[in-house]
Amino acid sequence: MTDLVFENIRIKYGTGSAAHEAVRGVNLTVPAGRTVGLVGESGSGKSTLARAAVGLQEPYAGRILIDGIDIVKARGSAAALRRDIQMIFQDANSCLNPRMSVGASIDEALSVRGKFARRDRAQRRIEVTNLLELVELDPAKSRDLPMQLSGGQRQRVAIARVLAAEPRVLLADEITSALDVSVQGTVLNLLMRVQRSLNLTVLFISHNLAVVRQLCEEVAVMKDGEVVEAGLATHVIDDPQHPYTRQLISAIPRIGIPLFDEGASS
C-alpha cells in the first residue's frame, strides 16, 4: 500500500506579471488504502493538483511523495514510481483512441507496464477479459469501438485501461460528471468495489459533497488554490467550520426544497 503526500505544492500558469498561481501551498495526505475526497468549485485548483501528481503539470515549489520519495525531482529508476499513480479523467473519450477497439486499447496499456508486458499476446488477451469482467463489462465488448458504447460503458473501459497499468494510487477526476444521473451511481459503486478489492489509494475529485460523503473516509476542501478545511468526511460535512464549506453544503439539493423559486416570473 502507498501513501500519496503533497507537501507545500505551488503551481502557476504563465510568467511574470501575467502569471496566475492556481495552487498555493497545498498540504494533503491520501493515506494508503483509503479514499480521500477533494472538493471545491470549478477553478479551485483540484484538477491542477492531480495533474501535477501524474506529471502533466510541473510544480514550481513543494514535493509530491510516494513511499517517501519525491517524484517531482526523481530521476532514473525512482522516476518510475510516478507510473504507480494513474488518473481517470472526466471524459473517457479523451483517453480512448476512437479507431482502436476496446480490447486493443486495454492491451496497449498491458503491453507497456508490469508483468504482462513480458507475456505473449494470448496471455494478454486473457487479462483483457479479466479486466473487462472486473469493471463489469461483457468481454464480447472487446471487439467494439468506443463510439459503439454508451457513456457509462466508455468510462468503465477507461477504468479498465487504467487498472491495466497496475497502479497503486488512483486519481479520479470528476469521473461521473459527464454521465447521465441514471448511471453515475453504477460507476461510483464500481469504483468503490475496485478500490476495496485491489486495496488502492484513491484521491476522488468532485464538486458533489453528497457523493463524497458516501464514497470517502476523509475530505479536503479547496478554494482559490488552497485547502481551507480537511478532516473526516462525516465531521467536515456534518459540522463544517469554514464559511466556504458551509456555502458548498448549502448548495446541495435536498428533497422537498425546490431548485428554483416557483413563484418567480418566467
Side-chain angles (χ1 to χ4, degrees):
M1 294 191 293
T2 304
D3 287 340
L4 172 63
V5 181
F6 299 89
E7 288 187 354
N8 195 34
I9 291 296
R10 294 181 175 272
I11 303 169
K12 63 183 177 181
Y13 295 109
T15 58
S17 60
H20 167 65
E21 193 167 29
V23 176
R24 303 187 292 173
V26 165
N27 292 288
L28 177 65
T29 296
V30 186
R34 295 174 72 86
T35 301
V36 173
L38 184 61
V39 301
E41 62 192 349
S42 297
S44 60
K46 309 184 304 296
S47 295
T48 298
L49 185 69
R51 289 169 63 87
V54 293
L56 296 176
Q57 191 69 43
E58 199 72 17
Y60 75 87
R63 305 193 303 166
I64 302 175
L65 307 175
I66 289 288
D67 291 338
I69 298 173
D70 183 4
I71 60 174
V72 174
K73 298 180 180 179
R75 297 292 183 270
S77 59
L81 285 172
R82 190 161 235 161
R83 298 178 185 172
D84 288 331
I85 309 174
Q86 295 293 322
M87 191 165 178
I88 309 169
F89 293 92
Q90 175 179 342
D91 181 10
N93 287 326
S94 66
C95 57
L96 297 177
N97 187 331
R99 299 180 180 179
M100 188 177 286
S101 72
V102 165
S105 184
I106 297 173
D107 180 75
E108 180 183 54
L110 284 171
S111 65
V112 297
R113 179 87 203 278
K115 58 188 178 184
F116 296 101
R118 297 181 294 274
R119 297 188 179 182
D120 61 30
R121 185 173 298 178
Q123 291 173 313
R124 293 202 307 271
R125 191 158 47 240
I126 293 172
E127 183 59 17
V128 167
T129 295
N130 292 338
L131 285 166
L132 287 173
E133 290 177 342
L134 180 63
V135 298
E136 299 170 3
L137 270 180
D138 183 351
K141 293 289 184 183
S142 65
R143 298 186 292 271
D144 291 352
L145 294 173
M147 65 177 294
Q148 296 174 281
L149 305 177
S150 68
Q153 289 172 332
R154 283 195 294 271
Q155 193 60 281
R156 288 168 184 264
V157 173
I159 294 172
R161 195 172 190 276
V162 163
L163 295 177
E166 299 182 86
R168 293 188 289 167
V169 179
L170 281 185
L171 309 179
D173 187 11
E174 301 276 11
I175 63 171
T176 61
S177 60
L179 302 177
D180 292 338
V181 174
S182 59
V183 299
Q184 287 182 7
T186 303
V187 172
L188 291 173
N189 287 332
L190 169 65
L191 180 65
M192 291 175 63
R193 287 192 291 272
V194 167
Q195 185 273 331
R196 290 168 181 167
S197 65
L198 300 180
N199 208 17
L200 298 171
T201 302
V202 178
L203 180 63
F204 181 79
I205 300 168
S206 179
H207 62 274
N208 191 329
L209 275 168
V211 169
V212 167
R213 193 184 193 285
Q214 296 298 317
L215 195 68
C216 305
E217 295 99 336
E218 301 176 34
V219 61
V221 181
M222 281 192 76
K223 176 177 171 58
D224 298 331
E226 299 178 339
V227 172
V228 297
E229 187 166 1
L232 294 175
T234 52
H235 292 174
V236 171
I237 296 173
D238 293 344
D239 186 23
Q241 301 301 304
H242 195 278
Y244 178 67
T245 309
R246 291 196 288 270
Q247 180 183 340
L248 289 178
I249 292 171
S250 69
I252 300 174
R254 289 173 172 80
I255 295 174
I257 300 177
L259 291 176
F260 303 102
D261 183 357
E262 296 177 355
S265 59
S266 57

